[in-house]
PDB file of all heavy atoms in Angstrom:
ATOM      1  N   GLY A 355       1.624  11.908  10.580  1.00 96.00           N
ATOM      2  CA  GLY A 355       3.009  12.267  10.330  1.00 96.00           C
ATOM      3  C   GLY A 355       3.271  13.723  10.609  1.00 96.00           C
ATOM      4  O   GLY A 355       2.364  14.454  10.987  1.00 96.00           O
ATOM      5  N   PRO A 356       4.479  14.170  10.417  1.00 98.00           N
ATOM      6  CA  PRO A 356       5.608  13.362   9.964  1.00 98.00           C
ATOM      7  C   PRO A 356       6.283  12.622  11.124  1.00 98.00           C
ATOM      8  O   PRO A 356       6.233  13.081  12.258  1.00 98.00           O
ATOM      9  CB  PRO A 356       6.563  14.411   9.379  1.00 98.00           C
ATOM     10  CG  PRO A 356       6.273  15.657  10.150  1.00 98.00           C
ATOM     11  CD  PRO A 356       4.833  15.605  10.559  1.00 98.00           C
ATOM     12  N   SER A 357       6.890  11.491  10.814  1.00 98.00           N
ATOM     13  CA  SER A 357       7.614  10.709  11.815  1.00 98.00           C
ATOM     14  C   SER A 357       9.056  10.570  11.376  1.00 98.00           C
ATOM     15  O   SER A 357       9.335  10.369  10.197  1.00 98.00           O
ATOM     16  CB  SER A 357       7.048   9.293  11.922  1.00 98.00           C
ATOM     17  OG  SER A 357       5.742   9.315  12.383  1.00 98.00           O
ATOM     18  N   LYS A 358       9.929  10.659  12.357  1.00 98.00           N
ATOM     19  CA  LYS A 358      11.353  10.401  12.069  1.00 98.00           C
ATOM     20  C   LYS A 358      11.540   8.886  12.041  1.00 98.00           C
ATOM     21  O   LYS A 358      11.222   8.203  13.009  1.00 98.00           O
ATOM     22  CB  LYS A 358      12.195  11.039  13.184  1.00 98.00           C
ATOM     23  CG  LYS A 358      13.639  10.705  13.121  1.00 98.00           C
ATOM     24  CD  LYS A 358      14.396  11.749  12.336  1.00 98.00           C
ATOM     25  CE  LYS A 358      15.842  11.326  12.155  1.00 98.00           C
ATOM     26  NZ  LYS A 358      16.407  11.742  10.896  1.00 98.00           N
ATOM     27  N   LEU A 359      11.986   8.352  10.901  1.00 98.00           N
ATOM     28  CA  LEU A 359      12.186   6.899  10.822  1.00 98.00           C
ATOM     29  C   LEU A 359      13.629   6.573  11.192  1.00 98.00           C
ATOM     30  O   LEU A 359      14.549   7.297  10.815  1.00 98.00           O
ATOM     31  CB  LEU A 359      11.868   6.384   9.415  1.00 98.00           C
ATOM     32  CG  LEU A 359      10.464   6.673   8.863  1.00 98.00           C
ATOM     33  CD1 LEU A 359      10.272   6.013   7.498  1.00 98.00           C
ATOM     34  CD2 LEU A 359       9.354   6.218   9.814  1.00 98.00           C
ATOM     35  N   LYS A 360      13.787   5.466  11.949  1.00 98.00           N
ATOM     36  CA  LYS A 360      15.137   5.034  12.351  1.00 98.00           C
ATOM     37  C   LYS A 360      15.347   3.587  11.955  1.00 98.00           C
ATOM     38  O   LYS A 360      14.476   2.746  12.216  1.00 98.00           O
ATOM     39  CB  LYS A 360      15.295   5.159  13.866  1.00 98.00           C
ATOM     40  CG  LYS A 360      15.466   6.586  14.305  1.00 98.00           C
ATOM     41  CD  LYS A 360      16.193   6.671  15.631  1.00 98.00           C
ATOM     42  CE  LYS A 360      16.471   8.141  15.933  1.00 98.00           C
ATOM     43  NZ  LYS A 360      16.211   8.526  17.282  1.00 98.00           N
ATOM     44  N   GLY A 361      16.492   3.296  11.325  1.00 98.00           N
ATOM     45  CA  GLY A 361      16.774   1.962  10.797  1.00 98.00           C
ATOM     46  C   GLY A 361      16.674   0.862  11.842  1.00 98.00           C
ATOM     47  O   GLY A 361      17.003   1.073  13.010  1.00 98.00           O
ATOM     48  N   CYS A 362      16.186  -0.297  11.427  1.00 98.00           N
ATOM     49  CA  CYS A 362      16.138  -1.483  12.290  1.00 98.00           C
ATOM     50  C   CYS A 362      16.008  -2.705  11.392  1.00 98.00           C
ATOM     51  O   CYS A 362      16.143  -2.587  10.172  1.00 98.00           O
ATOM     52  CB  CYS A 362      14.974  -1.394  13.286  1.00 98.00           C
ATOM     53  SG  CYS A 362      13.358  -1.414  12.521  1.00 98.00           S
ATOM     54  N   GLU A 363      15.698  -3.857  11.952  1.00 98.00           N
ATOM     55  CA  GLU A 363      15.545  -5.062  11.117  1.00 98.00           C
ATOM     56  C   GLU A 363      14.080  -5.242  10.757  1.00 98.00           C
ATOM     57  O   GLU A 363      13.211  -5.220  11.638  1.00 98.00           O
ATOM     58  CB  GLU A 363      16.059  -6.274  11.890  1.00 98.00           C
ATOM     59  CG  GLU A 363      16.273  -7.440  10.964  1.00 98.00           C
ATOM     60  CD  GLU A 363      17.062  -8.557  11.611  1.00 98.00           C
ATOM     61  OE1 GLU A 363      18.178  -8.305  12.110  1.00 98.00           O
ATOM     62  OE2 GLU A 363      16.536  -9.677  11.607  1.00 98.00           O
ATOM     63  N   VAL A 364      13.809  -5.382   9.476  1.00 98.00           N
ATOM     64  CA  VAL A 364      12.419  -5.535   9.021  1.00 98.00           C
ATOM     65  C   VAL A 364      12.329  -6.695   8.020  1.00 98.00           C
ATOM     66  O   VAL A 364      13.339  -7.215   7.562  1.00 98.00           O
ATOM     67  CB  VAL A 364      11.886  -4.232   8.365  1.00 98.00           C
ATOM     68  CG1 VAL A 364      11.802  -3.094   9.367  1.00 98.00           C
ATOM     69  CG2 VAL A 364      12.749  -3.837   7.165  1.00 98.00           C
ATOM     70  N   VAL A 365      11.072  -7.032   7.663  1.00 97.00           N
ATOM     71  CA  VAL A 365      10.854  -8.179   6.774  1.00 97.00           C
ATOM     72  C   VAL A 365      10.082  -7.717   5.526  1.00 97.00           C
ATOM     73  O   VAL A 365       9.140  -6.934   5.632  1.00 97.00           O
ATOM     74  CB  VAL A 365      10.033  -9.272   7.508  1.00 97.00           C
ATOM     75  CG1 VAL A 365       9.820 -10.492   6.614  1.00 97.00           C
ATOM     76  CG2 VAL A 365      10.708  -9.681   8.808  1.00 97.00           C
ATOM     77  N   ALA A 366      10.499  -8.222   4.368  1.00 97.00           N
ATOM     78  CA  ALA A 366       9.715  -8.009   3.140  1.00 97.00           C
ATOM     79  C   ALA A 366       8.697  -9.150   3.098  1.00 97.00           C
ATOM     80  O   ALA A 366       9.013 -10.255   2.688  1.00 97.00           O
ATOM     81  CB  ALA A 366      10.623  -8.059   1.917  1.00 97.00           C
ATOM     82  N   THR A 367       7.480  -8.878   3.568  1.00 96.00           N
ATOM     83  CA  THR A 367       6.490  -9.963   3.692  1.00 96.00           C
ATOM     84  C   THR A 367       5.925 -10.372   2.333  1.00 96.00           C
ATOM     85  O   THR A 367       5.409 -11.461   2.170  1.00 96.00           O
ATOM     86  CB  THR A 367       5.324  -9.534   4.606  1.00 96.00           C
ATOM     87  OG1 THR A 367       4.830  -8.290   4.115  1.00 96.00           O
ATOM     88  CG2 THR A 367       5.764  -9.394   6.046  1.00 96.00           C
ATOM     89  N   ASP A 368       5.946  -9.453   1.362  1.00 94.00           N
ATOM     90  CA  ASP A 368       5.531  -9.750  -0.003  1.00 94.00           C
ATOM     91  C   ASP A 368       6.242  -8.760  -0.919  1.00 94.00           C
ATOM     92  O   ASP A 368       6.990  -7.898  -0.440  1.00 94.00           O
ATOM     93  CB  ASP A 368       3.991  -9.698  -0.161  1.00 94.00           C
ATOM     94  CG  ASP A 368       3.385  -8.372   0.257  1.00 94.00           C
ATOM     95  OD1 ASP A 368       3.542  -7.400  -0.505  1.00 94.00           O
ATOM     96  OD2 ASP A 368       2.772  -8.281   1.338  1.00 94.00           O
ATOM     97  N   LEU A 369       6.003  -8.889  -2.216  1.00 95.00           N
ATOM     98  CA  LEU A 369       6.759  -8.082  -3.186  1.00 95.00           C
ATOM     99  C   LEU A 369       6.654  -6.567  -2.935  1.00 95.00           C
ATOM    100  O   LEU A 369       7.663  -5.876  -2.787  1.00 95.00           O
ATOM    101  CB  LEU A 369       6.260  -8.440  -4.596  1.00 95.00           C
ATOM    102  CG  LEU A 369       6.691  -7.605  -5.780  1.00 95.00           C
ATOM    103  CD1 LEU A 369       8.201  -7.525  -5.911  1.00 95.00           C
ATOM    104  CD2 LEU A 369       6.103  -8.198  -7.072  1.00 95.00           C
ATOM    105  N   ARG A 370       5.436  -6.042  -2.904  1.00 97.00           N
ATOM    106  CA  ARG A 370       5.300  -4.573  -2.775  1.00 97.00           C
ATOM    107  C   ARG A 370       5.520  -4.103  -1.342  1.00 97.00           C
ATOM    108  O   ARG A 370       5.900  -2.961  -1.122  1.00 97.00           O
ATOM    109  CB  ARG A 370       3.948  -4.103  -3.309  1.00 97.00           C
ATOM    110  CG  ARG A 370       3.623  -4.591  -4.723  1.00 97.00           C
ATOM    111  CD  ARG A 370       4.634  -4.176  -5.779  1.00 97.00           C
ATOM    112  NE  ARG A 370       4.373  -4.883  -7.044  1.00 97.00           N
ATOM    113  CZ  ARG A 370       5.149  -4.820  -8.114  1.00 97.00           C
ATOM    114  NH1 ARG A 370       6.261  -4.115  -8.103  1.00 97.00           N
ATOM    115  NH2 ARG A 370       4.843  -5.482  -9.207  1.00 97.00           N
ATOM    116  N   ALA A 371       5.284  -5.000  -0.369  1.00 97.00           N
ATOM    117  CA  ALA A 371       5.645  -4.664   1.013  1.00 97.00           C
ATOM    118  C   ALA A 371       7.156  -4.488   1.066  1.00 97.00           C
ATOM    119  O   ALA A 371       7.679  -3.601   1.747  1.00 97.00           O
ATOM    120  CB  ALA A 371       5.206  -5.762   1.962  1.00 97.00           C
ATOM    121  N   GLY A 372       7.859  -5.327   0.304  1.00 98.00           N
ATOM    122  CA  GLY A 372       9.317  -5.238   0.239  1.00 98.00           C
ATOM    123  C   GLY A 372       9.746  -3.909  -0.364  1.00 98.00           C
ATOM    124  O   GLY A 372      10.689  -3.262   0.121  1.00 98.00           O
ATOM    125  N   ALA A 373       9.040  -3.474  -1.410  1.00 98.00           N
ATOM    126  CA  ALA A 373       9.360  -2.184  -2.025  1.00 98.00           C
ATOM    127  C   ALA A 373       9.140  -1.057  -1.019  1.00 98.00           C
ATOM    128  O   ALA A 373       9.904  -0.082  -0.955  1.00 98.00           O
ATOM    129  CB  ALA A 373       8.495  -1.970  -3.263  1.00 98.00           C
ATOM    130  N   ALA A 374       8.093  -1.201  -0.206  1.00 98.00           N
ATOM    131  CA  ALA A 374       7.819  -0.189   0.830  1.00 98.00           C
ATOM    132  C   ALA A 374       8.960  -0.171   1.846  1.00 98.00           C
ATOM    133  O   ALA A 374       9.390   0.904   2.300  1.00 98.00           O
ATOM    134  CB  ALA A 374       6.491  -0.491   1.521  1.00 98.00           C
TER     135      ALA A 374
END
Side-chain angles (χ1 to χ4, degrees):
S357 296
K358 172 93 186 146
L359 303 184
K360 285 205 174 136
C362 65
E363 195 167 305
V364 295
V365 181
T367 52
D368 56 74
L369 170 56
R370 308 301 170 186

